[in-house]
PDB file of all heavy atoms in Angstrom:
ATOM      1  N   PHE P   3       0.756   5.832  -0.425  1.00  0.00           N
ATOM      2  CA  PHE P   3      -0.100   7.002  -0.291  1.00  0.00           C
ATOM      3  C   PHE P   3      -0.113   7.771  -1.608  1.00  0.00           C
ATOM      4  O   PHE P   3       0.843   7.711  -2.389  1.00  0.00           O
ATOM      5  CB  PHE P   3       0.362   7.868   0.880  1.00  0.00           C
ATOM      6  CG  PHE P   3      -0.155   7.354   2.199  1.00  0.00           C
ATOM      7  CD1 PHE P   3       0.436   6.258   2.808  1.00  0.00           C
ATOM      8  CD2 PHE P   3      -1.247   7.937   2.816  1.00  0.00           C
ATOM      9  CE1 PHE P   3      -0.053   5.759   4.008  1.00  0.00           C
ATOM     10  CE2 PHE P   3      -1.739   7.456   4.013  1.00  0.00           C
ATOM     11  CZ  PHE P   3      -1.143   6.364   4.610  1.00  0.00           C
ATOM     12  N   ALA P  14       3.794  21.200   3.087  1.00  0.00           N
ATOM     13  CA  ALA P  14       3.990  20.798   4.481  1.00  0.00           C
ATOM     14  C   ALA P  14       4.284  19.307   4.575  1.00  0.00           C
ATOM     15  O   ALA P  14       4.877  18.837   5.556  1.00  0.00           O
ATOM     16  CB  ALA P  14       2.743  21.136   5.299  1.00  0.00           C
ATOM     17  N   CYS P  15       3.898  18.549   3.546  1.00  0.00           N
ATOM     18  CA  CYS P  15       4.128  17.107   3.544  1.00  0.00           C
ATOM     19  C   CYS P  15       5.578  16.753   3.230  1.00  0.00           C
ATOM     20  O   CYS P  15       6.043  15.657   3.573  1.00  0.00           O
ATOM     21  CB  CYS P  15       3.208  16.443   2.522  1.00  0.00           C
ATOM     22  SG  CYS P  15       3.386  17.118   0.842  1.00  0.00           S
ATOM     23  N   VAL P  18       8.295  16.092   6.234  1.00  0.00           N
ATOM     24  CA  VAL P  18       7.986  14.999   7.164  1.00  0.00           C
ATOM     25  C   VAL P  18       8.172  13.628   6.539  1.00  0.00           C
ATOM     26  O   VAL P  18       8.134  12.612   7.240  1.00  0.00           O
ATOM     27  CB  VAL P  18       6.546  15.132   7.720  1.00  0.00           C
ATOM     28  CG1 VAL P  18       6.364  16.470   8.414  1.00  0.00           C
ATOM     29  CG2 VAL P  18       5.508  14.938   6.616  1.00  0.00           C
ATOM     30  N   CYS P  19       8.374  13.559   5.226  1.00  0.00           N
ATOM     31  CA  CYS P  19       8.539  12.262   4.552  1.00  0.00           C
ATOM     32  C   CYS P  19       9.907  11.671   4.892  1.00  0.00           C
ATOM     33  O   CYS P  19      10.938  12.252   4.540  1.00  0.00           O
ATOM     34  CB  CYS P  19       8.398  12.425   3.042  1.00  0.00           C
ATOM     35  SG  CYS P  19       8.683  10.888   2.122  1.00  0.00           S
ATOM     36  N   PRO P  20       9.964  10.524   5.552  1.00  0.00           N
ATOM     37  CA  PRO P  20      11.263   9.991   5.981  1.00  0.00           C
ATOM     38  C   PRO P  20      12.125   9.468   4.846  1.00  0.00           C
ATOM     39  O   PRO P  20      13.339   9.322   5.001  1.00  0.00           O
ATOM     40  CB  PRO P  20      10.875   8.860   6.943  1.00  0.00           C
ATOM     41  CG  PRO P  20       9.510   8.444   6.515  1.00  0.00           C
ATOM     42  CD  PRO P  20       8.845   9.695   6.031  1.00  0.00           C
ATOM     43  N   ASP P  48       4.649   3.756   3.330  1.00  0.00           N
ATOM     44  CA  ASP P  48       3.343   3.621   3.947  1.00  0.00           C
ATOM     45  C   ASP P  48       3.324   4.093   5.408  1.00  0.00           C
ATOM     46  O   ASP P  48       2.626   3.535   6.239  1.00  0.00           O
ATOM     47  CB  ASP P  48       2.902   2.146   3.859  1.00  0.00           C
ATOM     48  CG  ASP P  48       1.463   1.949   4.290  1.00  0.00           C
ATOM     49  OD1 ASP P  48       0.681   2.891   4.170  1.00  0.00           O
ATOM     50  OD2 ASP P  48       1.149   0.833   4.771  1.00  0.00           O
ATOM     51  N   CYS P  49       4.087   5.153   5.713  1.00  0.00           N
ATOM     52  CA  CYS P  49       4.103   5.623   7.104  1.00  0.00           C
ATOM     53  C   CYS P  49       2.943   6.555   7.416  1.00  0.00           C
ATOM     54  O   CYS P  49       2.548   6.718   8.574  1.00  0.00           O
ATOM     55  CB  CYS P  49       5.427   6.310   7.423  1.00  0.00           C
ATOM     56  SG  CYS P  49       5.662   7.913   6.595  1.00  0.00           S
ATOM     57  N   GLY P  50       2.407   7.252   6.400  1.00  0.00           N
ATOM     58  CA  GLY P  50       1.263   8.131   6.597  1.00  0.00           C
ATOM     59  C   GLY P  50       1.592   9.500   7.156  1.00  0.00           C
ATOM     60  O   GLY P  50       0.678  10.293   7.430  1.00  0.00           O
ATOM     61  N   ALA P  51       2.883   9.812   7.320  1.00  0.00           N
ATOM     62  CA  ALA P  51       3.248  11.119   7.883  1.00  0.00           C
ATOM     63  C   ALA P  51       2.767  12.259   6.994  1.00  0.00           C
ATOM     64  O   ALA P  51       2.360  13.315   7.482  1.00  0.00           O
ATOM     65  CB  ALA P  51       4.758  11.202   8.066  1.00  0.00           C
ATOM     66  N   CYS P  52       2.799  12.044   5.688  1.00  0.00           N
ATOM     67  CA  CYS P  52       2.372  13.097   4.751  1.00  0.00           C
ATOM     68  C   CYS P  52       0.888  13.389   4.896  1.00  0.00           C
ATOM     69  O   CYS P  52       0.467  14.559   4.854  1.00  0.00           O
ATOM     70  CB  CYS P  52       2.700  12.696   3.320  1.00  0.00           C
ATOM     71  SG  CYS P  52       1.993  11.094   2.823  1.00  0.00           S
ATOM     72  N   ALA P  53       0.079  12.351   5.070  1.00  0.00           N
ATOM     73  CA  ALA P  53      -1.360  12.541   5.199  1.00  0.00           C
ATOM     74  C   ALA P  53      -1.691  13.321   6.469  1.00  0.00           C
ATOM     75  O   ALA P  53      -2.593  14.153   6.484  1.00  0.00           O
ATOM     76  CB  ALA P  53      -2.077  11.198   5.203  1.00  0.00           C
ATOM     77  N   THR P  54      -0.944  13.066   7.527  1.00  0.00           N
ATOM     78  CA  THR P  54      -1.156  13.794   8.776  1.00  0.00           C
ATOM     79  C   THR P  54      -0.802  15.263   8.621  1.00  0.00           C
ATOM     80  O   THR P  54      -1.473  16.142   9.170  1.00  0.00           O
ATOM     81  CB  THR P  54      -0.307  13.172   9.900  1.00  0.00           C
ATOM     82  OG1 THR P  54      -0.664  11.787  10.046  1.00  0.00           O
ATOM     83  CG2 THR P  54      -0.521  13.895  11.212  1.00  0.00           C
ATOM     84  N   ALA P  55       0.240  15.548   7.857  1.00  0.00           N
ATOM     85  CA  ALA P  55       0.702  16.930   7.690  1.00  0.00           C
ATOM     86  C   ALA P  55      -0.128  17.729   6.700  1.00  0.00           C
ATOM     87  O   ALA P  55      -0.137  18.957   6.752  1.00  0.00           O
ATOM     88  CB  ALA P  55       2.162  16.934   7.240  1.00  0.00           C
ATOM     89  N   CYS P  56      -0.842  17.064   5.804  1.00  0.00           N
ATOM     90  CA  CYS P  56      -1.567  17.757   4.740  1.00  0.00           C
ATOM     91  C   CYS P  56      -2.694  18.618   5.325  1.00  0.00           C
ATOM     92  O   CYS P  56      -3.571  18.105   6.019  1.00  0.00           O
ATOM     93  CB  CYS P  56      -2.155  16.759   3.752  1.00  0.00           C
ATOM     94  SG  CYS P  56      -3.092  17.551   2.416  1.00  0.00           S
ATOM     95  N   ILE P  61      -4.347  13.790   0.736  1.00  0.00           N
ATOM     96  CA  ILE P  61      -3.522  12.584   0.638  1.00  0.00           C
ATOM     97  C   ILE P  61      -4.269  11.391   1.239  1.00  0.00           C
ATOM     98  O   ILE P  61      -4.737  11.451   2.373  1.00  0.00           O
ATOM     99  CB  ILE P  61      -2.163  12.785   1.346  1.00  0.00           C
ATOM    100  CG1 ILE P  61      -1.450  14.027   0.771  1.00  0.00           C
ATOM    101  CG2 ILE P  61      -1.296  11.549   1.196  1.00  0.00           C
ATOM    102  CD1 ILE P  61      -0.117  14.323   1.421  1.00  0.00           C
TER     103      ILE P  61
END
Side-chain angles (χ1 to χ4, degrees):
F3 278 78
C15 56
V18 302
C19 177
D48 189 27
C49 70
C52 56
T54 302
C56 179
I61 305 179

